[in-house]
Coordinates of all heavy atoms in Angstrom, one line a residue:
R1 N 139.9 130.7 48.1 CA 139.3 129.5 48.9 C 138.8 128.4 48.1 O 138.3 128.7 47.0 CB 138.3 130.1 49.9 CG 138.8 131.0 51.0 CD 137.7 131.5 51.7 NE 138.1 132.4 52.8 CZ 137.8 132.4 54.1 NH1 136.9 131.5 54.4 NH2 138.3 133.3 54.8
I2 N 138.7 127.3 48.6 CA 138.3 126.1 47.9 C 137.1 125.5 48.7 O 137.4 125.3 49.9 CB 139.5 125.0 47.7 CG1 140.4 125.7 46.7 CG2 138.9 123.8 47.3 CD1 141.7 124.9 46.6
A3 N 136.1 125.2 48.2 CA 135.0 124.5 48.8 C 135.4 123.1 49.0 O 135.8 122.4 48.2 CB 133.7 124.7 48.1
A4 N 135.0 122.5 50.3 CA 135.2 121.1 50.5 C 134.0 120.3 49.7 O 133.1 120.9 49.3 CB 135.2 120.8 52.0
P5 N 134.4 119.1 49.4 CA 133.4 118.3 48.5 C 132.2 118.1 49.4 O 132.2 118.2 50.5 CB 134.1 117.0 48.4 CG 135.6 117.3 48.5 CD 135.7 118.3 49.5
N6 N 131.0 117.8 48.7 CA 129.8 117.6 49.2 C 129.8 116.2 49.8 O 130.6 115.4 49.5 CB 128.6 117.7 48.3 CG 128.5 119.2 47.8 OD1 128.7 120.1 48.6 ND2 128.1 119.4 46.6
G7 N 128.9 116.0 50.8 CA 128.9 114.5 51.4 C 129.6 114.7 52.7 O 130.1 115.5 53.3
S8 N 129.5 113.5 53.3 CA 130.2 113.3 54.7 C 131.7 113.4 54.6 O 132.2 112.9 53.6 CB 129.8 111.9 55.3 OG 128.3 111.9 55.4
P9 N 132.3 114.0 55.7 CA 133.8 114.0 55.7 C 134.3 112.6 55.6 O 133.6 111.7 56.2 CB 134.1 114.7 56.9 CG 132.9 115.4 57.2 CD 131.8 114.7 56.6
P10 N 135.5 112.4 55.1 CA 136.1 111.0 55.1 C 136.3 110.6 56.5 O 136.5 111.4 57.4 CB 137.3 111.2 54.3 CG 137.7 112.7 54.4 CD 136.5 113.4 54.6
R11 N 136.3 109.1 56.6 CA 136.6 108.5 57.9 C 137.6 107.4 57.6 O 137.5 106.7 56.7 CB 135.4 107.8 58.6 CG 134.4 108.9 58.9 CD 133.2 108.3 59.8 NE 133.7 108.0 61.1 CZ 133.9 109.0 62.0 NH1 133.6 110.2 61.8 NH2 134.3 108.5 63.3
S12 N 138.9 107.5 58.4 CA 139.8 106.5 58.2 C 140.4 105.9 59.6 O 140.3 106.7 60.6 CB 141.1 107.2 57.5 OG 140.7 107.9 56.3
P13 N 140.9 104.6 59.6 CA 141.5 104.2 60.7 C 142.7 105.2 61.1 O 143.4 105.7 60.3 CB 142.0 102.9 60.5 CG 141.2 102.4 59.3 CD 140.9 103.8 58.6
A14 N 143.0 105.3 62.4 CA 144.1 106.4 62.7 C 145.4 106.0 62.1 O 146.0 106.9 61.6 CB 144.2 106.2 64.4
A15 N 145.8 104.8 62.2 CA 147.0 104.4 61.4 C 147.3 104.8 60.1 O 148.2 105.3 59.6 CB 147.5 103.1 61.8
A16 N 146.1 104.4 59.3 CA 146.1 104.6 57.9 C 146.1 106.1 57.7 O 146.6 106.7 56.6 CB 144.8 103.9 57.3
M17 N 145.3 106.8 58.6 CA 145.1 108.3 58.3 C 146.6 108.9 58.4 O 146.9 109.9 57.6 CB 144.2 108.9 59.5 CG 144.1 110.4 59.2 SD 143.5 110.9 61.0 CE 144.9 110.6 62.1
V18 N 147.2 108.6 59.5 CA 148.6 109.3 59.7 C 149.5 108.9 58.5 O 150.4 109.8 58.0 CB 149.3 108.9 61.1 CG1 150.7 109.3 61.1 CG2 148.4 109.4 62.2
Q19 N 149.4 107.7 58.0 CA 150.3 107.1 56.8 C 150.0 108.1 55.7 O 150.8 108.6 54.9 CB 150.1 105.8 56.6 CG 151.0 105.3 55.5 CD 152.4 105.3 55.7 OE1 152.9 105.3 56.9 NE2 153.2 105.6 54.6
R20 N 148.7 108.3 55.4 CA 148.3 109.1 54.2 C 148.7 110.5 54.3 O 149.1 111.1 53.3 CB 146.7 109.0 54.0 CG 146.3 107.5 53.5 CD 145.0 107.5 53.1 NE 144.7 108.1 51.8 CZ 143.6 107.9 51.2 NH1 142.6 107.4 51.7 NH2 143.4 108.6 50.0
L21 N 148.6 111.0 55.5 CA 149.0 112.4 55.6 C 150.6 112.6 55.5 O 151.0 113.6 54.9 CB 148.6 112.9 57.1 CG 147.1 113.2 57.5 CD1 146.9 113.3 58.8 CD2 146.7 114.3 56.5
R22 N 151.3 111.6 55.9 CA 152.8 111.6 55.7 C 153.1 111.6 54.2 O 154.0 112.3 53.7 CB 153.5 110.4 56.4 CG 153.4 110.5 58.0 CD 154.4 109.7 58.6 NE 154.2 109.5 60.1 CZ 154.7 110.4 61.0 NH1 155.3 111.5 60.5 NH2 154.5 110.4 62.2
E23 N 152.4 110.8 53.6 CA 152.6 110.5 52.1 C 152.2 111.8 51.4 O 153.0 112.3 50.5 CB 151.8 109.5 51.5 CG 152.2 108.1 51.9 CD 151.2 106.9 51.7 OE1 150.1 107.2 51.1 OE2 151.5 105.9 52.0
A24 N 151.0 112.5 51.8 CA 150.7 113.8 51.3 C 151.8 114.8 51.6 O 152.0 115.7 50.7 CB 149.3 114.1 51.7
T25 N 152.3 114.9 52.8 CA 153.3 115.9 53.2 C 154.6 115.5 52.3 O 155.2 116.5 51.8 CB 153.7 115.6 54.7 OG1 152.6 115.8 55.4 CG2 154.7 116.6 55.1
D26 N 154.9 114.4 52.1 CA 156.2 114.0 51.2 C 156.1 114.4 49.8 O 156.9 115.0 49.2 CB 156.5 112.5 51.4 CG 157.1 112.1 52.8 OD1 157.4 113.1 53.5 OD2 157.1 111.0 53.0
R27 N 154.8 114.2 49.3 CA 154.6 114.5 47.9 C 154.1 115.8 47.6 O 154.1 116.3 46.5 CB 153.8 113.5 47.2 CG 152.3 113.7 47.5 CD 151.5 112.6 46.7 NE 150.1 112.9 46.9 CZ 149.3 112.4 47.8 NH1 149.8 111.5 48.6 NH2 148.1 112.8 47.9
G28 N 153.6 116.5 48.5 CA 153.2 117.9 48.3 C 151.8 118.0 47.8 O 151.6 119.0 47.0
G29 N 150.9 117.2 48.0 CA 149.6 117.2 47.4 C 148.5 117.6 48.4 O 148.8 117.8 49.6
R30 N 147.4 117.9 47.8 CA 146.2 118.2 48.6 C 145.4 117.0 49.0 O 145.2 116.0 48.2 CB 145.3 119.2 47.8 CG 145.7 120.5 47.8 CD 144.6 121.4 47.2 NE 145.1 122.9 47.1 CZ 144.7 123.7 46.2 NH1 143.8 123.4 45.4 NH2 145.2 124.9 46.5
V31 N 144.8 117.1 50.2 CA 143.9 116.0 50.8 C 142.8 116.7 51.3 O 142.7 117.8 51.7 CB 144.6 115.1 51.7 CG1 145.6 114.2 50.9 CG2 145.1 115.7 52.9
W32 N 141.7 115.8 51.4 CA 140.4 116.1 52.1 C 140.4 115.6 53.3 O 140.7 114.3 53.5 CB 139.2 115.7 51.1 CG 137.9 115.8 51.7 CD1 137.4 117.0 52.5 CD2 136.7 115.2 51.3 NE1 136.1 116.8 52.8 CE2 135.6 115.8 52.1 CE3 136.4 114.1 50.6 CZ2 134.3 115.3 51.9 CZ3 135.1 113.6 50.5 CH2 134.0 114.2 51.2
I33 N 140.1 116.3 54.5 CA 140.2 115.7 55.9 C 138.7 116.0 56.5 O 138.2 117.0 56.2 CB 141.3 116.1 56.7 CG1 141.2 117.6 57.0 CG2 142.5 115.7 56.1 CD1 141.9 118.1 58.1
G34 N 138.4 115.2 57.3 CA 137.3 115.3 58.3 C 138.0 115.8 59.6 O 139.0 115.3 60.0
Y35 N 137.3 116.8 60.3 CA 138.0 117.4 61.5 C 136.9 117.6 62.6 O 136.0 118.4 62.2 CB 138.9 118.6 61.1 CG 139.8 119.1 62.2 CD1 140.8 118.3 62.6 CD2 139.4 120.3 62.9 CE1 141.7 118.8 63.6 CE2 140.3 120.7 63.9 CZ 141.4 119.9 64.3 OH 142.2 120.4 65.3
L36 N 137.2 117.5 63.8 CA 136.4 117.7 64.8 C 137.2 118.9 65.6 O 138.2 118.7 66.1 CB 136.2 116.6 65.8 CG 135.2 115.5 65.4 CD1 135.2 114.3 66.3 CD2 133.9 116.0 65.0
D37 N 136.4 120.1 65.8 CA 137.1 121.2 66.5 C 136.9 120.8 68.1 O 136.4 119.9 68.4 CB 136.4 122.4 66.1 CG 135.0 122.6 66.5 OD1 134.5 122.0 67.4 OD2 134.5 123.6 65.9
Q38 N 137.3 121.7 68.9 CA 137.3 121.5 70.4 C 135.9 121.6 71.0 O 135.7 120.9 72.0 CB 138.2 122.7 71.0 CG 139.6 122.6 70.7 CD 140.4 123.7 71.4 OE1 139.8 124.8 71.7 NE2 141.8 123.6 71.4
Q39 N 134.9 121.9 70.2 CA 133.6 121.9 70.6 C 132.9 120.6 70.0 O 131.7 120.4 70.3 CB 132.9 123.2 70.2 CG 133.1 124.5 71.0 CD 134.4 125.0 70.5 OE1 134.9 125.0 69.3 NE2 135.3 125.5 71.5
G40 N 133.6 120.0 69.3 CA 133.0 118.6 68.7 C 132.4 118.8 67.5 O 131.6 118.0 67.0
Q41 N 132.5 120.1 66.8 CA 131.7 120.3 65.6 C 132.6 119.7 64.5 O 133.8 119.9 64.3 CB 131.7 121.9 65.3 CG 130.7 122.5 66.4 CD 129.3 122.0 66.2 OE1 128.7 121.9 65.0 NE2 128.6 121.7 67.2
A42 N 131.9 118.9 63.6 CA 132.7 118.3 62.5 C 132.6 119.3 61.3 O 131.8 120.1 61.0 CB 131.9 117.1 62.1
S43 N 133.8 119.3 60.7 CA 133.9 120.2 59.6 C 134.6 119.3 58.5 O 135.3 118.3 58.7 CB 134.6 121.4 59.8 OG 135.9 121.3 60.3
S44 N 134.7 119.8 57.3 CA 135.4 119.1 56.2 C 136.4 120.2 55.6 O 136.0 121.3 55.2 CB 134.3 118.8 55.1 OG 134.9 118.0 54.0
R45 N 137.6 119.7 55.3 CA 138.7 120.7 54.9 C 139.4 120.1 53.8 O 139.7 118.9 53.7 CB 139.7 121.0 56.0 CG 139.1 121.4 57.3 CD 138.6 122.9 57.5 NE 138.1 123.1 58.8 CZ 138.9 123.6 59.7 NH1 140.1 123.9 59.6 NH2 138.3 123.9 61.0
I46 N 139.9 121.1 52.9 CA 140.9 120.8 51.8 C 142.3 121.4 52.3 O 142.3 122.6 52.6 CB 140.5 121.2 50.4 CG1 139.2 120.8 50.0 CG2 141.6 120.9 49.5 CD1 139.1 119.3 49.8
I47 N 143.2 120.4 52.5 CA 144.5 120.9 53.1 C 145.7 120.4 52.3 O 145.5 119.5 51.6 CB 144.6 120.5 54.5 CG1 144.7 119.0 54.6 CG2 143.5 121.0 55.4 CD1 145.2 118.4 55.9
E48 N 146.7 121.2 52.4 CA 148.1 120.8 51.8 C 149.0 120.7 53.0 O 149.6 121.7 53.6 CB 148.6 122.1 51.0 CG 147.7 122.3 49.8 CD 148.2 123.5 49.1 OE1 149.1 124.1 49.2 OE2 147.2 124.0 48.2
P49 N 149.2 119.3 53.5 CA 150.1 119.1 54.6 C 151.5 119.6 54.4 O 152.0 119.4 53.4 CB 150.0 117.6 54.8 CG 148.8 117.1 53.9 CD 148.6 118.2 52.9
A50 N 152.0 120.1 55.5 CA 153.4 120.6 55.3 C 154.4 119.9 56.5 O 155.5 119.5 56.1 CB 153.5 122.2 55.7
R51 N 153.8 119.6 57.6 CA 154.7 118.9 58.6 C 153.9 118.2 59.7 O 152.6 118.7 60.0 CB 155.6 120.0 59.3 CG 156.5 119.5 60.4 CD 157.4 120.6 60.9 NE 156.5 121.6 61.6 CZ 156.5 123.0 61.3 NH1 157.1 123.5 60.3 NH2 155.8 123.8 62.1
I52 N 154.3 117.0 60.1 CA 153.7 116.3 61.3 C 154.7 116.2 62.4 O 155.7 115.7 62.0 CB 153.2 114.9 60.7 CG1 152.0 115.1 59.5 CG2 152.6 114.1 62.0 CD1 151.7 113.7 59.1
E53 N 154.3 116.8 63.5 CA 155.3 116.6 64.6 C 154.6 116.9 65.9 O 153.6 117.7 65.9 CB 156.4 117.4 64.5 CG 156.1 118.9 64.5 CD 157.4 119.9 64.3 OE1 158.4 119.3 63.9 OE2 157.3 121.0 64.7
G54 N 155.0 116.2 66.9 CA 154.3 116.3 68.2 C 152.8 116.1 68.4 O 152.1 116.8 69.2
G55 N 152.2 115.3 67.5 CA 150.9 115.1 67.6 C 149.9 116.1 66.7 O 148.7 116.1 66.9
F56 N 150.7 116.8 66.0 CA 150.0 118.0 65.2 C 150.4 117.9 63.7 O 151.7 117.6 63.5 CB 150.3 119.4 65.8 CG 149.6 119.7 67.0 CD1 150.3 119.4 68.3 CD2 148.4 120.2 67.1 CE1 149.6 119.7 69.5 CE2 147.8 120.5 68.4 CZ 148.4 120.2 69.6
L57 N 149.5 118.2 62.9 CA 149.7 118.4 61.5 C 149.7 120.0 61.2 O 148.6 120.6 61.5 CB 148.7 117.6 60.7 CG 148.6 118.1 59.2 CD1 149.8 117.5 58.4 CD2 147.3 117.5 58.7
T58 N 150.7 120.5 60.6 CA 150.6 121.9 60.1 C 150.4 121.9 58.6 O 151.1 121.0 57.9 CB 151.9 122.6 60.5 OG1 152.3 122.6 61.8 CG2 152.0 124.0 59.9
A59 N 149.4 122.5 58.3 CA 149.1 122.5 56.8 C 148.4 123.8 56.4 O 147.9 124.6 57.2 CB 147.9 121.3 56.7
Y60 N 148.5 124.0 55.1 CA 147.7 125.1 54.5 C 146.3 124.7 54.3 O 146.1 123.7 53.7 CB 148.4 125.6 53.2 CG 147.5 126.7 52.5 CD1 147.5 127.9 53.0 CD2 146.6 126.4 51.4 CE1 146.7 129.0 52.4 CE2 145.9 127.2 50.8 CZ 145.9 128.6 51.4 OH 145.2 129.6 50.8
D61 N 145.4 125.3 54.9 CA 144.0 125.0 54.8 C 143.4 125.8 53.7 O 143.0 127.0 53.8 CB 143.3 125.4 56.2 CG 141.7 124.9 56.3 OD1 141.3 124.7 55.2 OD2 141.2 125.0 57.4
A62 N 143.2 125.1 52.6 CA 142.7 125.9 51.3 C 141.2 126.1 51.5 O 140.7 127.2 51.0 CB 142.8 125.0 50.2
T63 N 140.5 125.6 52.4 CA 139.1 125.9 52.6 C 138.9 127.2 53.4 O 138.0 128.0 53.1 CB 138.5 124.7 53.6 OG1 138.8 123.6 53.0 CG2 137.0 124.9 53.5
R64 N 140.0 127.5 54.3 CA 140.0 128.7 55.0 C 141.0 129.7 54.5 O 141.1 130.9 55.1 CB 140.2 128.5 56.5 CG 139.1 127.5 57.1 CD 138.3 128.1 58.0 NE 137.3 127.5 58.8 CZ 136.6 126.4 58.8 NH1 137.2 125.5 57.8 NH2 135.7 126.0 59.5
A65 N 141.8 129.3 53.6 CA 142.8 130.2 53.1 C 143.9 130.7 54.1 O 144.1 131.9 54.3 CB 142.3 131.4 52.3
A66 N 144.3 129.8 54.9 CA 145.2 130.2 56.2 C 145.9 128.9 56.5 O 145.4 127.7 56.3 CB 144.4 130.6 57.3
V67 N 147.1 129.2 57.1 CA 147.9 128.0 57.7 C 147.2 127.6 59.1 O 146.9 128.5 59.8 CB 149.4 128.4 57.7 CG1 150.1 127.3 58.6 CG2 150.1 128.6 56.4
H68 N 147.2 126.4 59.3 CA 146.4 125.9 60.5 C 147.2 124.7 61.1 O 147.8 123.9 60.4 CB 145.0 125.5 60.3 CG 144.2 125.2 61.4 ND1 143.6 126.2 62.2 CD2 143.9 124.1 62.0 CE1 143.1 125.6 63.2 NE2 143.0 124.3 63.1
R69 N 147.2 124.6 62.5 CA 147.7 123.4 63.1 C 146.5 122.6 63.5 O 145.6 123.0 64.3 CB 148.5 123.8 64.4 CG 149.9 124.3 63.9 CD 150.7 124.4 65.3 NE 151.2 123.2 65.9 CZ 151.5 122.9 67.1 NH1 151.3 124.1 68.0 NH2 151.7 121.9 67.7
F70 N 146.4 121.3 63.1 CA 145.5 120.4 63.4 C 145.9 119.3 64.4 O 147.0 118.8 64.1 CB 145.0 119.7 62.0 CG 144.4 120.6 61.1 CD1 145.2 121.0 60.0 CD2 143.1 120.8 61.1 CE1 144.7 121.9 59.1 CE2 142.5 121.7 60.0 CZ 143.3 122.2 59.1
A71 N 145.2 119.2 65.4 CA 145.6 118.0 66.4 C 145.3 116.7 65.5 O 144.0 116.5 65.1 CB 144.7 118.0 67.7
L72 N 146.2 115.8 65.5 CA 146.0 114.5 64.7 C 144.9 113.8 65.4 O 144.0 113.2 64.6 CB 147.3 113.8 64.8 CG 148.5 114.2 63.9 CD1 149.7 113.3 64.1 CD2 148.1 114.3 62.5
H73 N 144.6 113.7 66.7 CA 143.6 113.0 67.3 C 142.2 113.4 66.8 O 141.2 112.9 67.1 CB 143.7 112.8 68.8 CG 143.5 114.0 69.6 ND1 144.4 115.0 69.7 CD2 142.5 114.4 70.2 CE1 143.9 116.0 70.6 NE2 142.8 115.8 70.8
R74 N 142.0 114.7 66.4 CA 140.9 115.3 66.0 C 140.5 115.2 64.5 O 139.4 115.4 64.0 CB 140.7 116.9 66.3 CG 140.8 117.1 67.8 CD 140.7 118.6 68.2 NE 140.9 118.9 69.5 CZ 139.8 118.6 70.4 NH1 138.6 118.2 70.0 NH2 140.0 119.0 71.6
I75 N 141.5 114.6 63.8 CA 141.2 114.2 62.3 C 140.5 113.0 62.3 O 140.9 112.0 62.7 CB 142.5 114.2 61.5 CG1 143.2 115.6 61.6 CG2 142.3 113.9 60.1 CD1 144.6 115.8 61.0
T76 N 139.3 113.1 61.7 CA 138.4 111.8 61.5 C 138.8 110.9 60.4 O 138.4 109.8 60.3 CB 136.9 112.2 61.6 OG1 136.6 113.0 60.5 CG2 136.8 112.8 63.0
G77 N 139.3 111.5 59.3 CA 139.7 110.8 58.1 C 140.3 111.6 57.0 O 140.4 112.8 57.2
V78 N 140.9 110.8 56.0 CA 141.6 111.6 55.0 C 141.3 110.9 53.7 O 141.1 109.6 53.6 CB 143.1 111.3 55.1 CG1 143.9 112.0 54.0 CG2 143.7 111.8 56.6
A79 N 141.0 111.6 52.7 CA 140.8 111.1 51.4 C 141.4 112.0 50.3 O 141.8 113.1 50.6 CB 139.3 111.2 51.1
D80 N 141.8 111.3 49.2 CA 142.4 112.1 48.1 C 141.3 113.1 47.5 O 140.1 112.9 47.5 CB 142.8 111.1 46.9 CG 144.1 110.3 47.3 OD1 144.8 110.8 48.2 OD2 144.2 109.1 47.0
V81 N 141.9 114.2 46.9 CA 141.1 115.2 46.3 C 141.2 115.0 44.9 O 142.5 115.2 44.3 CB 141.6 116.6 46.7 CG1 140.7 117.6 46.0 CG2 141.4 116.8 48.3
D82 N 140.3 114.6 44.2 CA 140.2 114.4 42.7 C 140.1 115.7 42.0 O 139.1 116.4 42.2 CB 139.2 113.3 42.3 CG 139.6 112.1 42.9 OD1 140.7 111.7 43.0 OD2 138.5 111.3 43.3
G83 N 141.1 116.2 41.2 CA 141.0 117.3 40.5 C 140.9 118.6 41.1 O 140.5 119.5 40.4
A84 N 141.2 118.7 42.3 CA 141.3 119.9 43.0 C 142.6 120.7 42.6 O 143.6 120.1 42.5 CB 141.2 119.8 44.6
G85 N 142.4 122.0 42.7 CA 143.6 122.6 42.3 C 143.3 123.8 41.3 O 143.9 124.8 41.2

């Protein structure tokens, strides 16, 4: 497992966020996302995006050491992970 960076989760405009996730999916890199769960709880995750389809992102969640499907509308932002790995 990998700890998410300290500080507030990243925030990004929706169009920029999806574009960055697509780029990370294409290049196979890790990114840091902010995410709101179904109860509205904010969390911070380090993920390796694998696929975007049907409004969902499938990614390996390195923070939880599991593959997870994230609803795109619940992702609050995306940032690069410097030196993670």
Side-chain angles (χ1 to χ4, degrees):
R1 291 182 184 220
I2 295 172
N6 291 325
S8 298
R11 296 193 73 77
S12 309
M17 178 199 68
V18 171
Q19 181 62 33
R20 289 187 76 178
L21 289 171
R22 288 191 194 285
E23 289 167 2
T25 300
D26 291 344
R27 75 171 189 270
R30 281 187 176 158
V31 292
W32 178 27
I33 64 167
Y35 190 71
L36 290 176
D37 68 15
Q38 292 178 344
Q39 290 75 38
Q41 293 293 316
S43 64
S44 184
R45 314 277 185 96
I46 301 296
I47 63 165
E48 297 172 15
R51 184 172 69 239
I52 297 174
E53 64 183 14
F56 287 89
L57 166 69
T58 302
Y60 175 73
D61 182 347
T63 314
R64 302 243 180 353
V67 173
H68 188 79
R69 279 184 78 205
F70 297 93
L72 288 175
H73 72 275
R74 294 186 185 279
I75 298 174
T76 60
V78 182
D80 290 329
V81 178
D82 296 323

